[in-house]
Amino acid sequence: MKKPIKKSWMIASALTIGMAVLTPLQAGATSVEPANGVTVQIEQQITGTIKSIGESGVDLKGRDGKNYYISFYKFSEEQLEQMKLVEGQEITVEGGVVESYTDFYTFEIYKKSLPKEVTNEELTKLEKMFNEVKKLQKEFSDDMTEEEFDKKFEEIGKVYEEMYKITRPYTVANWQPPTFEEYMDEFGFAEKNIIIAEDDKKELKAIYDEWLKLEKDDQEEKANEKMEKFYEILNPYLEELHPPQTFEEYLENIELVEIPAETLAKLKSIYEDIPKAEKDYNTDLVDKLYEEFYDIISQFIKPQTFDEYMADNYEFKVSEADNKQLKQLYEEILKLDYKEEQAKIEEKWEAFDTILEPYFKANKEILISASKLIINGQEYLPQ
Protein backbone atom coordinates (compact mmCIF):
# COMPACT_ATOMS: atom_id res chain seq x y z
CA MET A 1 0.00 0.00 0.00
CA LYS A 2 1.32 3.41 -0.92
CA LYS A 3 -0.33 6.76 -0.36
CA PRO A 4 -0.03 8.90 -3.50
CA ILE A 5 2.76 11.47 -3.30
CA LYS A 6 1.35 14.98 -3.36
CA LYS A 7 3.11 18.23 -4.19
CA SER A 8 2.57 19.53 -0.64
CA TRP A 9 5.89 18.25 0.74
CA MET A 10 7.77 19.63 -2.26
CA ILE A 11 6.12 23.01 -1.88
CA ALA A 12 6.95 22.99 1.81
CA SER A 13 10.60 22.31 0.99
CA ALA A 14 10.60 25.10 -1.56
CA LEU A 15 9.15 27.50 0.97
CA THR A 16 11.62 26.56 3.67
CA ILE A 17 14.73 26.25 1.49
CA GLY A 18 15.05 30.01 1.61
CA MET A 19 14.11 30.44 5.23
CA ALA A 20 17.73 30.67 6.29
CA VAL A 21 18.21 33.40 3.74
CA LEU A 22 14.72 34.89 3.50
CA THR A 23 11.23 37.16 5.73
CA PRO A 24 7.92 37.72 7.80
CA LEU A 25 5.90 40.60 6.49
CA GLN A 26 5.48 42.98 9.37
CA ALA A 27 1.98 42.50 10.75
CA GLY A 28 -0.33 45.43 11.12
CA ALA A 29 -2.06 46.55 14.30
CA THR A 30 -5.39 44.93 13.52
CA SER A 31 -6.74 41.43 13.93
CA VAL A 32 -6.16 38.79 11.24
CA GLU A 33 -8.43 35.92 10.32
CA PRO A 34 -6.40 32.82 9.41
CA ALA A 35 -7.71 30.24 6.92
CA ASN A 36 -9.37 28.17 9.64
CA GLY A 37 -11.66 31.09 10.52
CA VAL A 38 -10.21 31.74 13.99
CA THR A 39 -9.61 35.44 14.62
CA VAL A 40 -6.39 36.12 16.53
CA GLN A 41 -5.44 39.57 17.78
CA ILE A 42 -2.06 40.87 16.62
CA GLU A 43 0.55 40.78 19.39
CA GLN A 44 -1.77 38.73 21.54
CA GLN A 45 -0.44 36.56 24.34
CA ILE A 46 -0.66 32.77 24.03
CA THR A 47 0.23 30.17 26.65
CA GLY A 48 0.64 26.58 25.63
CA THR A 49 2.66 23.37 25.72
CA ILE A 50 5.46 22.63 23.24
CA LYS A 51 4.54 19.63 21.05
CA SER A 52 7.70 19.57 18.95
CA ILE A 53 10.82 21.68 18.42
CA GLY A 54 12.22 22.67 15.03
CA GLU A 55 15.33 24.54 13.98
CA SER A 56 13.64 27.95 14.04
CA GLY A 57 10.39 27.49 15.95
CA VAL A 58 8.04 25.21 17.85
CA ASP A 59 4.65 23.58 17.43
CA LEU A 60 2.51 24.67 20.37
CA LYS A 61 -0.77 23.34 21.76
CA GLY A 62 -2.47 26.37 23.29
CA ARG A 63 -4.43 26.29 26.51
CA ASP A 64 -7.32 27.39 24.29
CA GLY A 65 -7.10 24.03 22.47
CA LYS A 66 -5.85 25.59 19.21
CA ASN A 67 -2.65 24.61 17.38
CA TYR A 68 0.07 27.17 16.81
CA TYR A 69 3.42 27.33 15.05
CA ILE A 70 5.67 29.86 16.80
CA SER A 71 8.56 31.29 14.80
CA PHE A 72 11.72 32.32 16.69
CA TYR A 73 13.45 34.04 13.76
CA LYS A 74 13.63 37.35 15.61
CA PHE A 75 15.69 35.77 18.38
CA SER A 76 19.42 35.06 18.27
CA GLU A 77 20.99 31.59 18.36
CA GLU A 78 22.53 32.47 21.72
CA GLN A 79 19.08 33.29 23.14
CA LEU A 80 17.61 30.04 21.81
CA GLU A 81 20.42 28.09 23.51
CA GLN A 82 19.73 29.90 26.79
CA MET A 83 16.02 29.00 26.60
CA LYS A 84 16.76 25.25 26.79
CA LEU A 85 13.41 24.37 25.24
CA VAL A 86 12.04 20.85 25.71
CA GLU A 87 8.92 19.08 24.50
CA GLY A 88 6.09 19.18 27.03
CA GLN A 89 7.31 22.50 28.45
CA GLU A 90 4.78 25.31 28.95
CA ILE A 91 5.71 28.71 27.53
CA THR A 92 4.00 32.05 27.01
CA VAL A 93 4.37 33.86 23.69
CA GLU A 94 3.54 37.35 22.49
CA GLY A 95 3.53 37.85 18.75
CA GLY A 96 1.75 38.66 15.52
CA VAL A 97 -0.10 36.47 13.08
CA VAL A 98 1.33 35.88 9.59
CA GLU A 99 -0.43 34.24 6.67
CA SER A 100 2.33 31.97 5.42
CA TYR A 101 5.52 30.27 6.60
CA THR A 102 7.36 32.35 4.00
CA ASP A 103 6.31 35.49 5.88
CA PHE A 104 8.33 34.62 8.97
CA TYR A 105 11.71 35.60 7.59
CA THR A 106 11.94 39.31 6.73
CA PHE A 107 14.69 41.14 4.93
CA GLU A 108 15.52 42.91 8.19
CA ILE A 109 16.21 39.55 9.82
CA TYR A 110 18.20 38.35 6.80
CA LYS A 111 20.22 41.56 6.88
CA LYS A 112 21.41 40.79 10.43
CA SER A 113 23.26 37.73 9.11
CA LEU A 114 25.15 39.71 6.44
CA PRO A 115 28.75 40.87 6.90
CA LYS A 116 28.97 44.52 7.96
CA GLU A 117 31.13 45.29 4.92
CA VAL A 118 28.23 44.79 2.45
CA THR A 119 27.66 48.18 0.79
CA ASN A 120 24.35 50.07 0.66
CA GLU A 121 24.23 49.55 -3.09
CA GLU A 122 24.63 45.80 -2.61
CA LEU A 123 21.98 45.82 0.14
CA THR A 124 19.55 47.41 -2.30
CA LYS A 125 20.25 44.68 -4.87
CA LEU A 126 19.92 41.95 -2.25
CA GLU A 127 16.61 43.31 -1.01
CA LYS A 128 15.22 43.40 -4.54
CA MET A 129 16.28 39.77 -5.16
CA PHE A 130 15.04 38.78 -1.71
CA ASN A 131 11.58 40.13 -2.51
CA GLU A 132 11.68 38.43 -5.91
CA VAL A 133 12.25 35.08 -4.19
CA LYS A 134 9.37 35.78 -1.80
CA LYS A 135 7.10 36.47 -4.77
CA LEU A 136 8.18 33.24 -6.51
CA GLN A 137 7.66 31.23 -3.31
CA LYS A 138 4.07 32.44 -3.03
CA GLU A 139 3.38 31.14 -6.54
CA PHE A 140 3.74 27.51 -5.46
CA SER A 141 0.48 25.59 -5.26
CA ASP A 142 -0.84 22.04 -4.89
CA ASP A 143 -2.22 22.28 -8.43
CA MET A 144 1.23 22.58 -10.03
CA THR A 145 2.56 19.75 -12.15
CA GLU A 146 5.98 18.35 -11.27
CA GLU A 147 7.40 20.11 -14.33
CA GLU A 148 5.95 23.46 -13.22
CA PHE A 149 7.26 22.90 -9.71
CA ASP A 150 10.77 22.08 -10.99
CA LYS A 151 10.77 25.18 -13.19
CA LYS A 152 9.74 27.44 -10.30
CA PHE A 153 12.29 25.82 -8.02
CA GLU A 154 14.97 26.43 -10.65
CA GLU A 155 13.97 30.11 -10.92
CA ILE A 156 14.36 30.51 -7.16
CA GLY A 157 17.73 28.76 -7.28
CA LYS A 158 19.02 31.18 -9.91
CA VAL A 159 18.08 34.19 -7.78
CA TYR A 160 19.82 32.64 -4.77
CA GLU A 161 22.94 32.14 -6.88
CA GLU A 162 22.98 35.85 -7.71
CA MET A 163 22.56 36.73 -4.03
CA TYR A 164 25.36 34.31 -3.15
CA LYS A 165 27.70 35.97 -5.65
CA ILE A 166 27.30 39.25 -3.78
CA THR A 167 27.71 37.88 -0.26
CA ARG A 168 30.34 35.18 -0.80
CA PRO A 169 33.45 37.42 -1.08
CA TYR A 170 32.60 39.02 2.29
CA THR A 171 31.82 35.66 3.88
CA VAL A 172 35.14 34.21 2.70
CA ALA A 173 37.06 37.29 3.89
CA ASN A 174 35.57 36.93 7.39
CA TRP A 175 35.80 33.15 7.44
CA GLN A 176 37.68 31.60 10.37
CA PRO A 177 38.07 27.97 9.25
CA PRO A 178 38.99 25.26 11.74
CA THR A 179 42.53 23.92 11.68
CA PHE A 180 43.04 20.46 10.19
CA GLU A 181 43.33 19.00 13.69
CA GLU A 182 40.10 20.69 14.83
CA TYR A 183 38.30 19.51 11.70
CA MET A 184 39.40 15.91 12.23
CA ASP A 185 38.51 15.97 15.95
CA GLU A 186 34.87 16.66 15.02
CA PHE A 187 34.54 13.15 13.52
CA GLY A 188 35.15 11.47 16.89
CA PHE A 189 37.69 8.87 15.72
CA ALA A 190 39.52 9.02 19.07
CA GLU A 191 36.34 8.06 20.96
CA LYS A 192 36.25 4.75 19.06
CA ASN A 193 40.05 4.27 19.17
CA ILE A 194 40.25 4.45 15.37
CA ILE A 195 43.80 5.30 14.32
CA ILE A 196 44.38 6.96 10.95
CA ALA A 197 47.59 5.76 9.30
CA GLU A 198 50.38 8.38 9.32
CA ASP A 199 50.68 8.40 5.52
CA ASP A 200 46.93 8.96 5.15
CA LYS A 201 46.93 11.67 7.82
CA LYS A 202 49.79 13.47 6.07
CA GLU A 203 47.99 13.34 2.71
CA LEU A 204 44.68 14.43 4.26
CA LYS A 205 46.35 17.47 5.84
CA ALA A 206 47.97 18.46 2.54
CA ILE A 207 44.63 18.17 0.72
CA TYR A 208 42.82 20.10 3.48
CA ASP A 209 45.34 22.96 3.26
CA GLU A 210 44.96 23.05 -0.54
CA TRP A 211 41.17 23.03 -0.16
CA LEU A 212 41.30 26.01 2.21
CA LYS A 213 43.44 27.99 -0.22
CA LEU A 214 41.12 27.23 -3.14
CA GLU A 215 38.04 28.20 -1.10
CA LYS A 216 39.63 31.51 -0.13
CA ASP A 217 40.61 32.13 -3.77
CA ASP A 218 36.97 31.58 -4.79
CA GLN A 219 37.82 28.49 -6.88
CA GLU A 220 34.85 26.42 -5.79
CA GLU A 221 34.97 23.79 -8.50
CA LYS A 222 38.59 22.90 -7.77
CA ALA A 223 37.90 23.10 -4.03
CA ASN A 224 35.07 20.57 -4.39
CA GLU A 225 37.36 18.23 -6.32
CA LYS A 226 39.89 18.42 -3.49
CA MET A 227 37.24 17.62 -0.90
CA GLU A 228 36.07 14.61 -2.95
CA LYS A 229 39.66 13.33 -2.89
CA PHE A 230 39.82 14.04 0.85
CA TYR A 231 36.80 11.82 1.52
CA GLU A 232 38.00 9.07 -0.79
CA ILE A 233 40.91 8.63 1.64
CA LEU A 234 38.80 9.16 4.75
CA ASN A 235 35.81 6.95 3.83
CA PRO A 236 37.31 3.61 4.99
CA TYR A 237 37.85 5.15 8.43
CA LEU A 238 34.33 6.59 8.42
CA GLU A 239 32.94 3.15 7.61
CA GLU A 240 34.87 1.75 10.56
CA LEU A 241 33.49 4.56 12.72
CA HIS A 242 29.92 4.05 11.48
CA PRO A 243 29.74 0.49 10.14
CA PRO A 244 26.94 0.07 7.60
CA GLN A 245 23.79 -1.70 8.75
CA THR A 246 23.73 -5.34 7.68
CA PHE A 247 20.76 -6.70 5.77
CA GLU A 248 19.72 -8.68 8.84
CA GLU A 249 19.92 -5.57 11.06
CA TYR A 250 17.84 -3.66 8.52
CA LEU A 251 15.11 -6.31 8.64
CA GLU A 252 14.96 -6.13 12.44
CA ASN A 253 13.68 -2.55 12.21
CA ILE A 254 10.65 -3.25 10.02
CA GLU A 255 7.66 -5.48 10.54
CA LEU A 256 7.26 -7.95 7.68
CA VAL A 257 5.06 -10.86 6.79
CA GLU A 258 6.91 -14.08 5.90
CA ILE A 259 9.18 -13.70 2.85
CA PRO A 260 10.01 -16.75 0.67
CA ALA A 261 13.68 -17.83 1.00
CA GLU A 262 14.40 -17.17 -2.69
CA THR A 263 13.00 -13.62 -2.47
CA LEU A 264 14.91 -13.00 0.76
CA ALA A 265 18.18 -14.02 -0.93
CA LYS A 266 17.46 -11.67 -3.84
CA LEU A 267 16.73 -8.78 -1.48
CA LYS A 268 19.97 -9.39 0.41
CA SER A 269 21.95 -9.43 -2.85
CA ILE A 270 20.44 -6.10 -3.96
CA TYR A 271 20.95 -4.58 -0.50
CA GLU A 272 24.65 -5.47 -0.57
CA ASP A 273 25.08 -4.22 -4.16
CA ILE A 274 23.87 -0.71 -3.27
CA PRO A 275 26.95 0.40 -1.25
CA LYS A 276 29.20 -0.99 -3.99
CA ALA A 277 27.44 1.15 -6.58
CA GLU A 278 27.65 4.15 -4.23
CA LYS A 279 31.42 3.68 -3.90
CA ASP A 280 31.68 3.72 -7.69
CA TYR A 281 29.56 6.91 -7.79
CA ASN A 282 27.20 5.08 -10.14
CA THR A 283 24.07 7.08 -9.26
CA ASP A 284 21.91 5.58 -12.02
CA LEU A 285 22.62 2.07 -10.75
CA VAL A 286 22.07 3.15 -7.13
CA ASP A 287 18.64 4.57 -8.03
CA LYS A 288 17.74 1.43 -9.98
CA LEU A 289 18.78 -0.87 -7.11
CA TYR A 290 16.89 1.15 -4.50
CA GLU A 291 13.76 1.13 -6.65
CA GLU A 292 14.01 -2.63 -7.23
CA PHE A 293 14.65 -3.27 -3.53
CA TYR A 294 11.66 -1.25 -2.30
CA ASP A 295 9.36 -2.56 -5.01
CA ILE A 296 10.03 -6.09 -3.73
CA ILE A 297 10.10 -5.49 0.00
CA SER A 298 7.02 -3.25 0.05
CA GLN A 299 4.96 -6.29 -0.89
CA PHE A 300 5.93 -7.91 2.42
CA ILE A 301 5.68 -4.96 4.81
CA LYS A 302 2.97 -5.68 7.34
CA PRO A 303 0.44 -2.85 6.94
CA GLN A 304 -0.75 -0.86 9.93
CA THR A 305 -4.27 -1.40 11.12
CA PHE A 306 -6.64 1.49 10.46
CA ASP A 307 -6.55 2.51 14.13
CA GLU A 308 -2.72 2.45 14.15
CA TYR A 309 -2.59 4.52 10.96
CA MET A 310 -4.95 7.17 12.34
CA ALA A 311 -3.14 7.34 15.69
CA ASP A 312 0.28 7.73 14.02
CA ASN A 313 -0.76 10.34 11.46
CA TYR A 314 -3.46 12.54 12.99
CA GLU A 315 -3.81 14.14 16.42
CA PHE A 316 -7.48 14.95 15.98
CA LYS A 317 -10.46 12.65 16.48
CA VAL A 318 -13.10 12.17 13.79
CA SER A 319 -16.81 11.55 14.12
CA GLU A 320 -18.15 8.01 14.34
CA ALA A 321 -19.76 8.28 10.88
CA ASP A 322 -16.56 9.61 9.25
CA ASN A 323 -14.46 7.04 11.08
CA LYS A 324 -16.59 4.26 9.61
CA GLN A 325 -16.19 5.60 6.05
CA LEU A 326 -12.45 6.15 6.48
CA LYS A 327 -11.92 2.65 7.83
CA GLN A 328 -13.81 1.14 4.90
CA LEU A 329 -11.72 3.10 2.36
CA TYR A 330 -8.46 2.21 4.16
CA GLU A 331 -9.26 -1.50 4.17
CA GLU A 332 -10.26 -1.37 0.50
CA ILE A 333 -6.89 0.26 -0.31
CA LEU A 334 -5.04 -2.53 1.51
CA LYS A 335 -6.70 -5.11 -0.71
CA LEU A 336 -5.57 -3.41 -3.95
CA ASP A 337 -2.33 -4.27 -5.73
CA TYR A 338 -0.26 -1.08 -5.55
CA LYS A 339 1.57 -1.96 -8.80
CA GLU A 340 -1.42 -2.92 -10.92
CA GLU A 341 -4.16 -0.70 -9.48
CA GLN A 342 -2.50 2.66 -8.88
CA ALA A 343 -5.39 4.66 -10.36
CA LYS A 344 -7.91 3.03 -8.01
CA ILE A 345 -5.60 3.50 -5.03
CA GLU A 346 -5.13 7.21 -5.75
CA GLU A 347 -8.86 7.65 -6.21
CA LYS A 348 -9.57 6.08 -2.82
CA TRP A 349 -6.85 8.13 -1.08
CA GLU A 350 -8.40 11.28 -2.57
CA ALA A 351 -11.79 10.24 -1.15
CA PHE A 352 -10.05 9.56 2.19
CA ASP A 353 -8.49 13.05 2.25
CA THR A 354 -11.77 14.69 1.19
CA ILE A 355 -13.45 13.30 4.31
CA LEU A 356 -10.56 14.58 6.45
CA GLU A 357 -10.41 18.05 4.84
CA PRO A 358 -12.76 19.74 7.36
CA TYR A 359 -10.66 18.32 10.20
CA PHE A 360 -7.46 19.63 8.60
CA LYS A 361 -9.00 23.10 8.36
CA ALA A 362 -10.32 23.02 11.93
CA ASN A 363 -6.92 21.94 13.26
CA LYS A 364 -4.75 24.09 11.01
CA GLU A 365 -1.89 25.78 12.85
CA ILE A 366 -2.12 29.52 13.47
CA LEU A 367 1.24 31.03 12.50
CA ILE A 368 2.75 33.41 15.06
CA SER A 369 5.93 35.45 14.69
CA ALA A 370 7.13 35.69 18.29
CA SER A 371 8.24 39.09 19.62
CA LYS A 372 8.39 38.11 23.30
CA LEU A 373 8.78 34.82 25.15
CA ILE A 374 8.28 33.96 28.80
CA ILE A 375 9.88 30.69 29.87
CA ASN A 376 9.98 29.64 33.55
CA GLY A 377 9.34 33.26 34.50
CA GLN A 378 12.26 34.50 32.38
CA GLU A 379 11.40 37.08 29.68
CA TYR A 380 13.17 37.10 26.34
CA LEU A 381 13.02 39.96 23.83
CA PRO A 382 14.61 39.93 20.32
CA GLN A 383 18.19 41.17 20.25
Side-chain angles (χ1 to χ4, degrees):
M1 178 199 70
K2 286 186 180 179
K3 189 163 186 176
I5 296 172
K6 291 191 171 184
K7 293 288 183 300
S8 303
W9 72 269
M10 296 194 295
I11 292 168
S13 66
L15 298 181
T16 55
I17 193 173
M19 285 284 193
V21 250
L22 285 178
T23 80
L25 301 174
Q26 298 303 316
T30 58
S31 63
V32 172
E33 186 170 352
N36 60 358
V38 180
T39 299
V40 181
Q41 192 67 28
I42 293 300
E43 296 301 328
Q44 79 164 36
Q45 191 177 87
I46 300 154
T47 297
T49 303
I50 296 174
K51 294 191 297 180
S52 63
I53 302 170
E55 189 175 337
S56 55
V58 298
D59 290 306
L60 196 76
K61 187 70 173 182
R63 281 185 184 172
D64 56 10
K66 296 164 193 163
N67 296 312
Y68 297 89
Y69 177 79
I70 312 298
S71 166
F72 294 160
Y73 269 117
K74 292 177 183 175
F75 296 83
S76 68
E77 288 184 16
E78 291 77 13
Q79 285 178 299
L80 294 178
E81 285 177 14
Q82 290 169 13
M83 292 175 194
K84 294 182 169 49
L85 299 169
V86 293
E87 290 182 16
Q89 182 179 28
E90 187 171 88
I91 65 171
T92 297
V93 179
E94 287 184 14
V97 176
V98 299
E99 294 180 358
S100 159
Y101 287 96
T102 61
D103 292 334
F104 280 133
Y105 197 77
T106 64
F107 184 72
E108 289 306 309
I109 295 172
Y110 166 66
K111 197 163 66 172
K112 288 180 183 179
S113 67
L114 295 174
K116 294 177 182 178
E117 296 83 0
V118 174
T119 67
N120 288 333
E121 183 182 351
E122 288 169 329
L123 277 175
T124 301
K125 289 179 182 177
L126 286 168
E127 185 170 13
K128 183 180 177 182
M129 287 187 279
F130 182 94
N131 291 331
E132 186 180 345
V133 168
K134 291 293 293 292
K135 178 177 175 293
L136 289 168
Q137 286 178 322
K138 287 181 181 291
E139 291 173 3
F140 281 102
S141 77
D142 275 334
D143 299 328
M144 295 174 75
T145 64
E146 194 163 341
E147 186 179 346
E148 288 170 334
F149 170 85
D150 288 342
K151 186 177 178 183
K152 189 69 62 183
F153 204 86
E154 190 178 334
E155 285 181 64
I156 290 173
K158 286 179 180 177
V159 181
Y160 279 139
E161 283 177 20
E162 292 304 310
M163 294 173 74
Y164 181 61
K165 285 177 185 176
I166 293 173
T167 59
R168 190 179 191 282
Y170 299 107
T171 304
V172 170
N174 294 320
W175 184 32
Q176 296 294 326
T179 64
F180 171 72
E181 289 71 23
E182 290 169 338
Y183 186 78
M184 294 299 291
D185 283 345
E186 287 296 315
F187 289 104
F189 290 118
E191 296 165 18
K192 295 283 184 74
N193 295 317
I194 295 171
I195 308 298
I196 296 176
E198 282 303 317
D199 287 348
D200 285 340
K201 188 184 288 187
K202 187 176 179 181
E203 189 172 359
L204 285 167
K205 187 179 186 311
I207 294 171
Y208 184 81
D209 291 341
E210 290 169 11
W211 171 75
L212 282 181
K213 187 176 184 305
L214 290 166
E215 282 285 351
K216 289 178 178 178
D217 290 345
D218 202 16
Q219 298 187 56
E220 282 191 86
E221 192 173 332
K222 289 184 178 179
N224 289 340
E225 288 173 5
K226 286 291 176 187
M227 197 45 75
E228 281 180 17
K229 189 175 180 183
F230 184 94
Y231 278 97
E232 281 176 19
I233 298 169
L234 196 63
N235 275 337
Y237 299 101
L238 290 173
E239 286 180 11
E240 187 180 349
L241 183 65
H242 304 290
Q245 196 176 40
T246 65
F247 177 66
E248 290 72 22
E249 288 169 338
Y250 170 82
L251 291 185
E252 287 173 7
N253 295 320
I254 52 176
E255 198 169 353
L256 300 167
V257 297
E258 189 174 347
I259 304 177
E262 186 180 338
T263 305
L264 200 62
K266 184 175 182 181
L267 281 168
K268 183 173 183 178
S269 175
I270 297 169
Y271 186 89
E272 292 174 350
D273 283 342
I274 290 171
K276 296 173 188 174
E278 287 174 334
K279 279 185 180 178
D280 293 336
Y281 300 100
N282 191 338
T283 53
D284 288 341
L285 180 57
V286 170
D287 290 344
K288 183 183 174 184
L289 290 170
Y290 267 120
E291 186 176 352
E292 186 178 1
F293 183 86
Y294 286 115
D295 275 348
I296 296 171
I297 204 165
S298 61
Q299 300 170 49
F300 300 95
I301 293 175
K302 187 177 180 180
Q304 289 180 298
T305 65
F306 171 71
D307 291 335
E308 288 170 339
Y309 177 82
M310 294 298 289
D312 280 356
N313 289 280
Y314 310 109
E315 289 185 357
F316 51 78
K317 300 292 183 183
V318 300
S319 71
E320 191 175 333
D322 287 338
N323 195 69
K324 186 177 179 180
Q325 280 186 280
L326 290 165
K327 185 174 182 179
Q328 182 180 337
L329 283 166
Y330 185 83
E331 290 176 351
E332 287 172 0
I333 289 166
L334 291 184
K335 292 174 184 175
L336 295 170
D337 185 314
Y338 84 91
K339 271 189 173 181
E340 304 296 330
E341 300 176 279
Q342 270 299 308
K344 285 184 182 178
I345 290 173
E346 289 182 17
E347 185 181 321
K348 289 188 183 294
W349 274 124
E350 284 174 13
F352 192 95
D353 285 343
T354 299
I355 296 170
L356 287 177
E357 192 61 35
Y359 298 96
F360 291 142
K361 286 182 179 178
N363 289 274
K364 185 175 180 180
E365 288 183 322
I366 299 167
L367 309 180
I368 303 290
S369 179
S371 54
K372 180 180 178 180
L373 296 170
I374 304 172
I375 303 168
N376 297 326
Q378 173 74 44
E379 289 190 359
Y380 295 89
L381 296 170
Q383 291 180 347

